[in-house]
Amino acid sequence: MDRHGSARHDMVRGAAQSRETSRGLLLVHAGGPSSAPGPIATVERWAESGVVGLTVVPLERGWVGVVPTTGVSAVGAPYEDALPLLLNRSLPHRLRPAIGLGVVGRRGVVCVTPAGWRAVRRWLVWQPGRGVVHPGGLAVARLADLVRAAGVADPSAVGGLADVLHDPAGDARLMVADVLVALDLPGAALLDGGPAVGRLPGATVVQPGAVAVRRFAKATRENVMWRDEMEGSGR
């Protein structure tokens, strides 16, 4: 993980304010029917190159759901929370567009990575009692970004999504589920994770590869050393 990736991870954790109750999913569009061997194999290879155990589930209309098998990654603090690592991972162009949705603490998080070669991931954070709040230093998503990534042709979809996100009532779990409905996206059954997800039709569990874990651990050690050095030189 580079220093910018580390910063994004820290900001997501800070925006969410909690790690204990993180749950959610990433929807990727792998191209072609999601049940076909090619797209699923592409997602599985990508999953294995990370540091989070993931369940990969083919869904409707070319979407593939990716869910952490547990709340804990294969690496230690401060990167042990699986969901921020999943939502922050770089995505190859063949797995985009992608939409991530999560519940972390009391807040809901939605991110979108559009199709294209130079795609920038953008974020929305929702808080009960307030509605949408600024996501710290993260790039802010527009509602049209989400509608476009979801492939929704209905011109009223932006208005329906705005109604969901600007309503401060309810909780983050309900908000995330309503976003899926507003965008006509599959995956509601995956939101809470758990062993049942691995028993869904076509689901496969992918554990992180040892090489990827070692590489990540080395990069994070170097990142900590870099931070210590910068903080020390500033004293």
Side-chain angles (χ1 to χ4, degrees):
M1 173 179 287
D2 61 21
R3 295 175 190 115
H4 299 292
S6 174
R8 286 193 299 271
H9 179 272
D10 291 345
M11 283 186 284
V12 173
R13 289 174 63 206
Q17 297 182 329
S18 172
R19 296 180 303 179
E20 288 77 8
T21 58
S22 301
R23 60 192 186 277
L25 78 152
L26 178 68
L27 293 170
V28 301
H29 207 280
S34 58
S35 58
I40 287 294
T42 300
V43 179
E44 290 172 348
R45 285 193 298 271
W46 173 82
E48 189 176 8
S49 66
V51 296
V52 175
L54 298 170
T55 303
V56 177
V57 185
L59 299 170
E60 298 86 10
R61 304 190 305 278
W63 291 100
V64 178
V66 184
V67 185
T69 55
T70 71
V72 181
S73 74
V75 294
Y79 302 106
E80 71 272 33
D81 190 12
L83 184 64
L85 285 173
L86 172 61
L87 297 187
N88 274 293
R89 273 200 68 188
S90 296
L91 288 160
H93 71 90
R94 60 187 177 277
L95 296 185
R96 300 195 299 257
I99 296 174
L101 307 101
V103 177
V104 193
R106 298 179 63 242
R107 291 188 171 188
V109 177
V110 181
C111 63
V112 55
T113 308
W117 288 95
R118 297 182 179 272
V120 175
R121 182 179 288 113
R122 296 183 179 275
W123 302 81
L124 290 172
V125 176
W126 181 95
Q127 181 174 316
R130 294 182 61 186
V132 175
V133 297
H134 197 277
L138 299 169
V140 179
R142 300 170 298 178
L143 301 188
D145 296 333
L146 287 161
V147 171
R148 187 179 304 111
V152 179
D154 185 350
S156 68
V158 170
L161 184 60
D163 291 342
V164 171
L165 291 167
H166 295 155
D167 184 356
D171 59 25
R173 172 63 174 77
L174 178 61
M175 183 279 296
V176 168
D178 286 346
V179 167
L180 287 174
V181 173
L183 294 175
D184 192 27
L185 287 170
L190 312 182
L191 276 174
D192 295 321
V197 173
R199 295 192 290 269
L200 292 173
T204 56
V205 175
V206 181
Q207 297 300 336
V211 172
V213 173
R214 287 197 299 269
R215 186 184 300 120
F216 186 95
K218 181 177 184 292
T220 54
R221 283 196 302 270
E222 292 174 350
N223 182 65
V224 170
M225 292 171 61
W226 179 83
R227 286 186 177 185
D228 290 345
E229 181 179 343
M230 292 299 102
E231 292 172 359
S233 63
R235 294 192 182 99

